[in-house]
Amino acid sequence: VIAAVWQSKIRKRHLGRQLLMTSIEQKSECSFICTPGGLARGSIRVPGDKSMSHRSIMLSSIAEGTSYISGFLQGEDSLNTLRSFQAMGVDIKHSEDKVEVKGVGLHGLMQPDSSLDMGNSGTAMRLLLGLLAGQYFDTTLIGDESLSERPMNRVINPLLAMQAKIDSDINGTAPLTVHGNATLTAIDYQLPMASAQVKSCILLAGLYAKGETVVTEPAPTRDHTERMLRGFGCEVETKGAVIKLKGGQTLTATDIEVPADISSAAFFLVAGSISPLGTELTLTHVGINPTRTGVIDILKLMGADITITNQRDVGGEPVADLIVRGANLKGINIPEALVPLAIDEFPVLFIAAACAEGKTTLTGAEELRVKESDRIQVMADGLITLGIDAVPTVDGICIQGGSISGGEVESHGDHRIAMAFSVASIRATDTIKVLDCINVNTSFPGFVDLAISTGIKVNSL
Ligand code: S3P
């Protein structure tokens, strides 16, 4: 065991050096220059939902038959998932947002020739770990510098309780090696934190486990895994906070239409809200699953003018067009119950808070410290650079609305931080330069062009 841990540490150090070099090269390559005076108006459709795109590849790969996916996010994160399943022998054809997946069934995956690289994606690594725990072969999962520092014990521990065999770095971080031949046993697991990634990891492992897997959530989190499993013909029972799934079920191929990602739409919901009064922007075909709409609720509590229209159901997920108009925002105490329902949207919500009149306080959001970056600290640092009074706390932040100046801010390679500070330029008095923006491609390829098309003055250098 000790030898394995050391080997993994050496591998990680070597990998870390390689990634550091790449990140230094990329850092100087991609900055956003954001000029004041922009606004967000018109009608746009943002790219496909990242969470659903990952899951669409994973579930269709282990289904029986051919599935057709449309609206697939062509971002680096979901493409890493797609490439991983190709590396495990799944025939996947991909052209723009259309993907054809010839499923190999629950036990048809093959051992990849080398490690699977999850890049920047926590979702890919954590969900895949659950799915791989029940295979017959060994697999190693690696990630970039940020992902290699993110906590994995939250998924390793329940999987070990299911009799999976996993090696990690001494700190419970990647690289992770999942050993094959595991005969998984179902567990009844109380999630220690509100995390859809942990819930989904256990449910995917549960497909391979003997018996019925039960997961209880401390608060509702996104339920795309449960909904999509049902779309593939699986029986998943949800009663309040308890989710149950029996192992050994067959998934049957289906067609999936991935809606536009509300987490990407969020940048424009805030951009539209902080645009001059009278400005109107429509975001079309946005997924409005109730486990994801915290951003709309929080913005409305702040006084935003958002209308949900043309609501319809697409493949088991609610979808709508969102109309946002310029408004006078006010500071609020963000209700803790909304935190898991808006977990990815806080960087840009902090920009809304900086533009609001009065104080906005966030608590109960310690999970933000273990995202692609420490989003509480990194956002506080950037806001302070831009002249905003922002005080980080252990589990949140306190932001006093004010006047945003110009300056140079660090995104720390975090896609959502980079896009949030571009949106801030709408209300800035001087140019904002955002450093290290290459990872915007992980979730929102084409962000700069789409933002420019609405009137936001951002350029990529
Ligand atoms: C995700 C769940 C969330 C979110 C992430 C995507 C998912 O993470 O932050 O971007 O697709 O399940 P946690 O469940 O760990 O909060």
Side-chain angles (χ1 to χ4, degrees), residues 50-51 55 123 126 154 194-197 222 343-344 371:
K50 184 151 71 79
S51 293
R55 288 158 171 82
T123 307
R126 295 193 177 115
R154 54 181 60 199
S195 168
Q197 293 184 353
R222 64 191 70 191
I343 195 68
D344 290 337
K371 294 294 177 189

Side-chain angles (χ1 to χ4, degrees), residues 138-155:
D138 294 0
T139 324
T140 297
L141 301 179
I142 58 169
D144 70 4
E145 205 186 344
S146 149
L147 186 55
S148 305
E149 297 298 327
R150 293 181 68 186
M152 292 298 150
N153 278 338
R154 54 181 60 199
V155 280

